[in-house]
Amino acid sequence: MTKENIVGLDIGTSTIKVVQLLKTKEQFSLVKASIEELKFNAEEKDKLSALKQLFKRAKISEKEVNISIEGPSVIIRNIQLPKMSEADLKNAIKYEAEKYIPYNVNEVIVDCQIISEAENNMGVLLVAAKKDSINDKIQLVQKAGLCPWVVDIDSFALINAFNLNNDESEKTIALLNIGSEATSVNIIRGDLLNFTRNIPVGGKRVTEVLAENFKVDLTQAEELKKNPGDKKEAVDEICLNAMREMAIEIKSSFDYYESQYEEGVTKIYISGGVAINENMANFLSENMDLEVKRWSILDRLILGNKSLGDKISPIRDYFAVATGLALRKL
Ligand SMILES: Nc1ncnc2c1ncn2[C@@H]1O[C@H](COP(=O)(O)OP(=O)(O)OP(=O)(O)O)[C@@H](O)[C@H]1O
Ligand SMILES: [Mg+2]
Protein backbone atom coordinates (compact mmCIF):
# COMPACT_ATOMS: atom_id res chain seq x y z
CA MET A 1 0.00 0.00 0.00
CA THR A 2 1.41 3.41 -0.85
CA LYS A 3 0.31 6.65 0.66
CA GLU A 4 0.58 10.11 -0.83
CA ASN A 5 0.65 12.12 2.34
CA ILE A 6 3.14 10.86 4.85
CA VAL A 7 3.87 12.18 8.33
CA GLY A 8 7.15 11.67 10.20
CA LEU A 9 7.16 12.26 13.93
CA ASP A 10 10.47 12.56 15.80
CA ILE A 11 9.87 12.52 19.55
CA GLY A 12 13.15 13.60 21.14
CA THR A 13 14.00 14.18 24.77
CA SER A 14 13.82 17.98 24.47
CA THR A 15 11.65 18.65 21.42
CA ILE A 16 9.05 16.95 19.22
CA LYS A 17 9.36 17.50 15.48
CA VAL A 18 6.77 16.73 12.82
CA VAL A 19 7.10 16.78 9.03
CA GLN A 20 4.44 16.11 6.42
CA LEU A 21 5.55 15.27 2.89
CA LEU A 22 3.54 14.89 -0.27
CA LYS A 23 4.69 12.40 -2.84
CA THR A 24 4.00 13.39 -6.41
CA LYS A 25 5.42 11.15 -9.14
CA GLU A 26 9.01 10.57 -8.01
CA GLN A 27 9.38 13.78 -6.03
CA PHE A 28 8.68 14.72 -2.46
CA SER A 29 7.54 18.15 -1.39
CA LEU A 30 7.52 19.57 2.09
CA VAL A 31 3.97 20.42 3.08
CA LYS A 32 4.29 20.99 6.82
CA ALA A 33 7.05 21.12 9.42
CA SER A 34 6.72 22.16 13.01
CA ILE A 35 8.37 21.77 16.39
CA GLU A 36 7.23 21.80 20.01
CA GLU A 37 9.65 22.21 22.92
CA LEU A 38 9.34 19.93 25.92
CA LYS A 39 10.13 21.08 29.42
CA PHE A 40 13.21 19.63 31.12
CA ASN A 41 12.77 16.07 32.33
CA ALA A 42 9.34 15.90 30.70
CA GLU A 43 7.10 13.09 31.90
CA GLU A 44 4.72 11.14 29.72
CA LYS A 45 1.80 13.50 30.39
CA ASP A 46 3.93 16.49 29.34
CA LYS A 47 4.93 14.73 26.13
CA LEU A 48 1.32 13.86 25.45
CA SER A 49 0.09 17.41 25.76
CA ALA A 50 3.01 18.72 23.70
CA LEU A 51 2.20 16.18 21.00
CA LYS A 52 -1.46 17.19 20.87
CA GLN A 53 -0.51 20.86 20.82
CA LEU A 54 1.97 20.27 18.00
CA PHE A 55 -0.56 18.59 15.71
CA LYS A 56 -3.15 21.26 16.45
CA ARG A 57 -0.77 24.12 15.74
CA ALA A 58 0.69 22.46 12.64
CA LYS A 59 -2.90 21.76 11.44
CA ILE A 60 -2.06 18.18 10.54
CA SER A 61 -5.15 16.05 10.13
CA GLU A 62 -3.42 12.83 9.05
CA LYS A 63 -3.62 10.24 11.79
CA GLU A 64 -1.06 7.75 10.55
CA VAL A 65 2.47 8.67 11.56
CA ASN A 66 5.90 7.09 11.23
CA ILE A 67 7.89 7.15 14.45
CA SER A 68 11.33 6.04 15.61
CA ILE A 69 13.43 4.95 18.53
CA GLU A 70 17.10 5.45 19.33
CA GLY A 71 19.54 5.48 22.22
CA PRO A 72 20.73 2.63 24.44
CA SER A 73 17.67 0.53 23.65
CA VAL A 74 18.76 0.18 20.02
CA ILE A 75 21.78 -1.83 18.94
CA ILE A 76 23.07 -1.72 15.39
CA ARG A 77 26.10 -3.74 14.31
CA ASN A 78 27.79 -4.69 11.09
CA ILE A 79 28.67 -8.35 11.48
CA GLN A 80 30.29 -11.01 9.32
CA LEU A 81 28.58 -14.40 8.97
CA PRO A 82 29.19 -17.47 6.84
CA LYS A 83 27.30 -17.26 3.58
CA MET A 84 23.73 -18.57 3.88
CA SER A 85 20.32 -18.05 2.32
CA GLU A 86 18.08 -15.24 3.47
CA ALA A 87 15.67 -17.77 5.00
CA ASP A 88 18.48 -19.43 6.99
CA LEU A 89 19.71 -16.02 8.11
CA LYS A 90 16.27 -15.08 9.45
CA ASN A 91 16.33 -18.24 11.57
CA ALA A 92 19.92 -17.84 12.73
CA ILE A 93 19.94 -14.14 13.48
CA LYS A 94 18.21 -14.27 16.85
CA TYR A 95 20.92 -16.55 18.20
CA GLU A 96 23.70 -14.54 16.55
CA ALA A 97 22.23 -11.39 18.08
CA GLU A 98 22.73 -12.80 21.59
CA LYS A 99 26.48 -12.24 21.21
CA TYR A 100 26.06 -8.53 20.61
CA ILE A 101 23.25 -7.36 22.84
CA PRO A 102 23.39 -6.74 26.56
CA TYR A 103 19.73 -7.75 27.01
CA ASN A 104 17.87 -11.03 27.01
CA VAL A 105 17.08 -11.89 23.42
CA ASN A 106 13.39 -12.23 24.32
CA GLU A 107 13.31 -8.56 25.35
CA VAL A 108 14.23 -7.37 21.88
CA ILE A 109 12.98 -7.39 18.33
CA VAL A 110 15.76 -8.45 15.98
CA ASP A 111 16.00 -7.60 12.32
CA CYS A 112 18.77 -7.89 9.74
CA GLN A 113 19.77 -7.16 6.20
CA ILE A 114 22.50 -8.62 3.98
CA ILE A 115 24.67 -5.73 2.84
CA SER A 116 27.62 -7.42 1.15
CA GLU A 117 28.59 -10.86 -0.10
CA ALA A 118 32.01 -12.44 -0.59
CA GLU A 119 32.92 -15.99 -1.56
CA ASN A 120 32.39 -17.59 1.86
CA ASN A 121 31.21 -14.73 4.05
CA MET A 122 28.60 -12.05 4.04
CA GLY A 123 28.24 -8.72 5.78
CA VAL A 124 25.00 -8.35 7.70
CA LEU A 125 23.50 -5.30 9.33
CA LEU A 126 22.03 -6.47 12.62
CA VAL A 127 19.42 -4.35 14.40
CA ALA A 128 18.03 -5.16 17.83
CA ALA A 129 15.55 -2.89 19.58
CA LYS A 130 14.05 -3.29 23.04
CA LYS A 131 10.38 -4.16 22.93
CA ASP A 132 9.49 -1.98 25.92
CA SER A 133 10.99 1.14 24.29
CA ILE A 134 9.04 0.47 21.12
CA ASN A 135 5.85 -0.12 23.08
CA ASP A 136 6.30 3.05 25.16
CA LYS A 137 6.55 5.17 22.00
CA ILE A 138 3.62 3.41 20.35
CA GLN A 139 1.43 3.91 23.41
CA LEU A 140 2.29 7.60 23.70
CA VAL A 141 1.39 8.20 20.08
CA GLN A 142 -1.83 6.21 20.38
CA LYS A 143 -2.86 8.18 23.47
CA ALA A 144 -2.56 11.33 21.38
CA GLY A 145 -5.14 9.83 19.00
CA LEU A 146 -2.58 8.96 16.33
CA CYS A 147 -1.88 5.67 14.62
CA PRO A 148 1.74 4.48 14.41
CA TRP A 149 2.45 3.27 10.90
CA VAL A 150 6.18 2.42 10.68
CA VAL A 151 8.52 2.23 13.67
CA ASP A 152 11.99 3.10 12.38
CA ILE A 153 15.40 3.84 13.89
CA ASP A 154 16.70 7.46 14.06
CA SER A 155 19.96 6.61 12.25
CA PHE A 156 18.19 5.03 9.28
CA ALA A 157 15.77 7.95 9.02
CA LEU A 158 18.67 10.40 9.13
CA ILE A 159 20.49 8.60 6.31
CA ASN A 160 17.35 8.33 4.19
CA ALA A 161 16.78 12.07 4.44
CA PHE A 162 20.43 12.83 3.68
CA ASN A 163 20.43 10.47 0.68
CA LEU A 164 17.60 12.39 -0.97
CA ASN A 165 20.46 14.39 -2.42
CA ASN A 166 23.87 12.92 -1.67
CA ASP A 167 26.30 13.85 -4.39
CA GLU A 168 29.22 12.40 -2.46
CA SER A 169 28.16 8.78 -2.36
CA GLU A 170 31.66 7.69 -3.46
CA LYS A 171 33.16 9.13 -0.30
CA THR A 172 33.12 8.00 3.30
CA ILE A 173 31.31 10.67 5.28
CA ALA A 174 29.99 11.04 8.79
CA LEU A 175 26.53 12.28 9.64
CA LEU A 176 26.30 13.65 13.16
CA ASN A 177 22.87 14.31 14.59
CA ILE A 178 23.45 16.34 17.73
CA GLY A 179 20.42 16.40 19.98
CA SER A 180 19.80 17.18 23.62
CA GLU A 181 20.81 13.99 25.44
CA ALA A 182 22.73 12.26 22.71
CA THR A 183 24.84 12.64 19.62
CA SER A 184 24.42 10.03 16.96
CA VAL A 185 27.53 9.30 14.88
CA ASN A 186 26.85 7.57 11.56
CA ILE A 187 29.54 6.73 9.05
CA ILE A 188 28.23 6.04 5.58
CA ARG A 189 29.57 5.23 2.19
CA GLY A 190 27.09 5.35 -0.65
CA ASP A 191 23.70 4.42 0.70
CA LEU A 192 25.16 2.13 3.32
CA LEU A 193 25.60 2.58 7.01
CA ASN A 194 29.01 1.16 7.94
CA PHE A 195 29.19 2.26 11.56
CA THR A 196 26.90 3.89 14.08
CA ARG A 197 27.32 4.91 17.66
CA ASN A 198 25.20 6.84 20.12
CA ILE A 199 27.24 9.09 22.41
CA PRO A 200 25.25 10.09 25.50
CA VAL A 201 26.29 13.75 25.35
CA GLY A 202 24.42 16.56 23.62
CA GLY A 203 23.08 20.07 24.11
CA LYS A 204 21.67 19.35 27.55
CA ARG A 205 25.19 18.92 28.92
CA VAL A 206 25.96 22.46 27.78
CA THR A 207 22.81 23.79 29.44
CA GLU A 208 23.73 22.06 32.70
CA VAL A 209 27.23 23.54 32.69
CA LEU A 210 25.82 27.01 31.94
CA ALA A 211 23.30 26.65 34.79
CA GLU A 212 26.12 25.76 37.17
CA ASN A 213 28.39 28.61 36.06
CA PHE A 214 25.73 31.33 36.05
CA LYS A 215 23.87 29.94 39.09
CA VAL A 216 20.53 29.80 37.24
CA ASP A 217 18.02 27.00 36.64
CA LEU A 218 18.00 24.85 33.50
CA THR A 219 15.23 26.82 31.78
CA GLN A 220 17.09 30.09 32.30
CA ALA A 221 20.36 28.50 31.18
CA GLU A 222 18.67 27.23 28.02
CA GLU A 223 17.47 30.75 27.23
CA LEU A 224 20.95 32.12 27.91
CA LYS A 225 22.45 29.55 25.53
CA LYS A 226 20.15 30.56 22.69
CA ASN A 227 20.12 34.33 23.38
CA PRO A 228 23.26 35.23 25.34
CA GLY A 229 23.04 38.99 24.71
CA ASP A 230 25.91 40.86 26.39
CA LYS A 231 27.16 37.61 28.01
CA LYS A 232 27.95 36.13 24.60
CA GLU A 233 31.69 35.82 25.03
CA ALA A 234 31.49 33.96 28.36
CA VAL A 235 28.59 31.79 27.16
CA ASP A 236 30.42 30.81 23.95
CA GLU A 237 33.48 29.76 25.88
CA ILE A 238 31.55 27.68 28.40
CA CYS A 239 29.50 26.05 25.62
CA LEU A 240 32.54 24.99 23.62
CA ASN A 241 34.32 23.68 26.70
CA ALA A 242 31.27 21.60 27.59
CA MET A 243 31.31 20.12 24.08
CA ARG A 244 34.90 18.96 24.30
CA GLU A 245 34.05 15.54 25.74
CA MET A 246 31.66 14.96 22.88
CA ALA A 247 34.35 15.91 20.35
CA ILE A 248 36.79 13.44 21.94
CA GLU A 249 34.23 10.64 21.72
CA ILE A 250 33.47 11.42 18.08
CA LYS A 251 37.17 11.42 17.27
CA SER A 252 37.62 8.04 18.94
CA SER A 253 34.73 6.63 16.88
CA PHE A 254 36.44 7.89 13.71
CA ASP A 255 39.75 6.33 14.79
CA TYR A 256 38.05 3.02 15.51
CA TYR A 257 36.36 3.13 12.12
CA GLU A 258 39.64 3.81 10.38
CA SER A 259 41.31 0.87 12.12
CA GLN A 260 38.49 -1.47 11.08
CA TYR A 261 37.85 -0.31 7.54
CA GLU A 262 41.27 0.96 6.51
CA GLU A 263 39.74 4.18 5.29
CA GLY A 264 38.95 7.39 7.10
CA VAL A 265 36.04 9.82 7.25
CA THR A 266 36.57 12.56 4.66
CA LYS A 267 33.84 15.03 5.60
CA ILE A 268 31.30 15.65 8.34
CA TYR A 269 27.68 16.75 7.95
CA ILE A 270 25.83 17.98 11.03
CA SER A 271 22.15 18.25 11.93
CA GLY A 272 20.03 18.31 15.08
CA GLY A 273 19.21 21.28 17.30
CA VAL A 274 22.80 21.82 18.43
CA ALA A 275 23.91 22.36 14.81
CA ILE A 276 22.04 25.69 14.96
CA ASN A 277 24.78 27.04 17.22
CA GLU A 278 26.84 29.22 14.88
CA ASN A 279 30.13 28.04 16.43
CA MET A 280 29.43 24.32 16.25
CA ALA A 281 30.62 23.55 12.70
CA ASN A 282 33.89 25.47 13.23
CA PHE A 283 34.47 23.89 16.60
CA LEU A 284 34.11 20.37 15.20
CA SER A 285 36.16 21.19 12.15
CA GLU A 286 39.06 22.36 14.31
CA ASN A 287 38.81 19.34 16.61
CA MET A 288 38.50 16.73 13.86
CA ASP A 289 40.67 18.45 11.29
CA LEU A 290 37.97 17.85 8.68
CA GLU A 291 35.51 19.93 6.71
CA VAL A 292 32.20 20.21 8.58
CA LYS A 293 28.97 21.30 6.89
CA ARG A 294 25.45 21.99 8.13
CA TRP A 295 22.87 20.36 5.92
CA SER A 296 19.12 20.45 6.01
CA ILE A 297 15.97 19.21 4.37
CA LEU A 298 15.55 22.61 2.73
CA ASP A 299 18.35 21.69 0.30
CA ARG A 300 16.66 18.40 -0.44
CA LEU A 301 12.93 18.92 -0.81
CA ILE A 302 10.67 21.00 -2.99
CA LEU A 303 8.74 23.48 -0.87
CA GLY A 304 4.97 23.11 -0.73
CA ASN A 305 4.79 26.86 -0.09
CA LYS A 306 7.42 29.55 0.21
CA SER A 307 6.31 30.93 3.56
CA LEU A 308 7.00 27.52 5.14
CA GLY A 309 10.61 27.74 3.92
CA ASP A 310 11.00 31.22 5.44
CA LYS A 311 9.42 30.02 8.68
CA ILE A 312 11.61 27.00 9.25
CA SER A 313 14.84 28.27 7.71
CA PRO A 314 16.39 29.44 11.03
CA ILE A 315 15.58 26.07 12.65
CA ARG A 316 15.94 23.79 9.61
CA ASP A 317 18.60 21.64 11.33
CA TYR A 318 15.93 20.06 13.55
CA PHE A 319 13.96 18.22 10.86
CA ALA A 320 16.36 15.62 9.41
CA VAL A 321 15.06 12.59 11.33
CA ALA A 322 11.36 13.55 11.02
CA THR A 323 11.82 13.91 7.25
CA GLY A 324 13.54 10.55 6.95
CA LEU A 325 10.62 9.03 8.85
CA ALA A 326 8.11 10.61 6.50
CA LEU A 327 10.02 9.10 3.57
CA ARG A 328 9.26 5.61 4.83
CA LYS A 329 6.18 4.13 3.28
CA LEU A 330 4.83 0.64 2.95
N1 LIG B 1 20.71 28.22 18.88
C1 LIG B 1 21.11 27.15 19.56
N2 LIG B 1 22.35 27.11 20.13
C2 LIG B 1 22.75 26.04 20.83
N3 LIG B 1 22.00 24.95 21.05
C3 LIG B 1 20.76 24.94 20.53
C4 LIG B 1 20.25 26.02 19.76
N4 LIG B 1 18.98 25.73 19.39
C5 LIG B 1 18.72 24.50 19.90
N5 LIG B 1 19.77 24.03 20.58
C6 LIG B 1 19.87 22.77 21.34
O1 LIG B 1 19.46 21.67 20.55
C7 LIG B 1 19.02 20.62 21.43
C8 LIG B 1 17.75 20.05 20.92
O2 LIG B 1 17.99 19.44 19.67
P1 LIG B 1 17.06 18.26 19.13
O3 LIG B 1 15.66 18.70 19.09
O4 LIG B 1 17.69 17.78 17.88
O5 LIG B 1 17.23 17.19 20.32
P2 LIG B 1 16.23 16.03 20.76
O6 LIG B 1 15.84 15.27 19.54
O7 LIG B 1 15.13 16.56 21.59
O8 LIG B 1 17.22 15.20 21.70
P3 LIG B 1 17.67 13.67 21.64
O9 LIG B 1 17.76 13.28 20.20
O10 LIG B 1 18.98 13.64 22.34
O11 LIG B 1 16.60 12.93 22.37
C9 LIG B 1 18.84 21.25 22.81
O12 LIG B 1 19.88 20.84 23.67
C10 LIG B 1 18.92 22.75 22.52
O13 LIG B 1 19.46 23.47 23.59
MG1 LIG C 1 16.75 13.68 18.45
Side-chain angles (χ1 to χ4, degrees):
M1 180 175 171
T2 53
K3 289 167 61 66
E4 291 194 330
N5 256 299
I6 328 155
V7 178
L9 177 62
D10 172 13
I11 305 174
T13 47
S14 74
T15 64
I16 307 182
K17 286 79 65 180
V18 70
V19 161
Q20 182 170 347
L21 300 181
L22 180 70
K23 186 165 191 264
T24 41
K25 296 202 182 107
E26 282 315 300
Q27 285 185 316
F28 289 96
S29 58
L30 182 64
V31 181
K32 280 166 190 161
S34 197
I35 179 166
E36 190 75 26
E37 301 232 354
L38 294 166
K39 64 180 192 185
F40 280 98
N41 305 318
E43 293 172 20
E44 200 193 316
K45 64 174 177 13
D46 306 314
K47 290 185 182 173
L48 189 55
S49 61
L51 196 47
K52 287 180 180 162
Q53 180 65 24
L54 176 63
F55 272 68
K56 199 165 149 193
R57 205 164 32 76
K59 297 194 174 68
I60 294 178
S61 55
E62 289 287 308
K63 294 289 175 221
E64 279 151 356
V65 294
N66 295 345
I67 57 173
S68 62
I69 54 167
E70 68 152 357
S73 57
V74 181
I75 287 149
I76 304 171
R77 292 275 186 284
N78 253 344
I79 59 173
Q80 288 290 324
L81 291 176
K83 217 167 170 178
M84 63 181 91
S85 71
E86 210 151 315
D88 286 345
L89 175 66
K90 294 279 173 208
N91 286 327
I93 197 68
K94 200 167 170 178
Y95 304 100
E96 272 305 318
E98 276 183 334
K99 299 180 197 159
Y100 302 93
I101 53 177
Y103 312 111
N104 183 311
V105 76
N106 296 318
E107 290 175 58
V108 296
I109 288 178
V110 179
D111 200 359
C112 62
Q113 195 187 346
I114 300 170
I115 50 172
S116 64
E117 287 187 74
E119 206 174 328
N120 299 315
N121 285 334
M122 58 188 195
V124 174
L125 188 69
L126 165 75
V127 183
K130 279 195 90 180
K131 287 177 189 166
D132 55 4
S133 296
I134 299 174
N135 289 338
D136 287 352
K137 273 262 163 86
I138 288 178
Q139 276 173 20
L140 175 67
V141 167
Q142 284 175 334
K143 278 185 193 157
L146 301 165
C147 174
W149 193 254
V150 173
V151 182
D152 202 347
I153 308 284
D154 275 28
S155 286
F156 299 152
L158 181 73
I159 294 165
N160 281 338
F162 185 82
N163 279 337
L164 275 173
N165 177 14
N166 175 8
D167 52 16
E168 299 190 289
S169 56
E170 296 304 307
K171 292 187 184 151
T172 300
I173 54 178
L175 306 184
L176 305 181
N177 196 52
I178 316 172
S180 173
E181 296 218 331
T183 295
S184 136
V185 179
N186 304 277
I187 303 181
I188 63 169
R189 193 184 171 101
D191 292 344
L192 290 182
L193 175 65
N194 277 343
F195 171 89
T196 180
R197 184 175 162 216
N198 201 266
I199 300 170
V201 183
K204 190 175 173 194
R205 176 68 58 87
V206 178
T207 308
E208 285 164 351
V209 176
L210 280 172
E212 222 177 280
N213 273 269
F214 285 94
K215 313 257 175 295
V216 293
D217 68 21
L218 288 176
T219 310
Q220 290 165 316
E222 182 71 21
E223 178 54 30
L224 193 59
K225 178 164 81 171
K226 289 178 184 159
N227 299 302
D230 58 5
K231 299 194 180 70
K232 186 169 178 353
E233 212 170 312
V235 168
D236 279 356
E237 198 187 324
I238 294 167
C239 287
L240 294 181
N241 266 328
M243 281 295 180
R244 238 166 267 282
E245 184 193 338
M246 184 190 76
I248 291 168
E249 293 295 326
I250 296 170
K251 182 89 175 65
S252 87
S253 294
F254 287 5
D255 290 345
Y256 171 80
Y257 180 84
E258 202 164 339
S259 72
Q260 294 290 307
Y261 285 81
E262 290 165 359
E263 59 172 28
V265 171
T266 59
K267 204 165 170 181
I268 301 173
Y269 285 87
I270 57 171
S271 61
V274 176
I276 299 171
N277 181 323
E278 56 178 18
N279 299 319
M280 202 56 208
N282 262 342
F283 168 76
L284 287 172
S285 180
E286 278 166 17
N287 275 272
M288 307 296 153
D289 205 13
L290 285 171
E291 185 184 348
V292 178
K293 281 181 89 170
R294 273 171 81 179
W295 72 280
S296 86
I297 57 163
L298 292 184
D299 352 303
R300 279 157 165 81
L301 293 166
I302 300 166
L303 281 177
N305 61 72
K306 186 175 170 304
S307 65
L308 177 63
D310 295 340
K311 195 183 106 196
I312 69 161
S313 181
I315 53 163
R316 60 194 183 280
D317 314 63
Y318 275 116
F319 297 101
V321 170
T323 299
L325 293 176
L327 289 170
R328 280 287 302 267
K329 54 209 173 300
L330 292 181

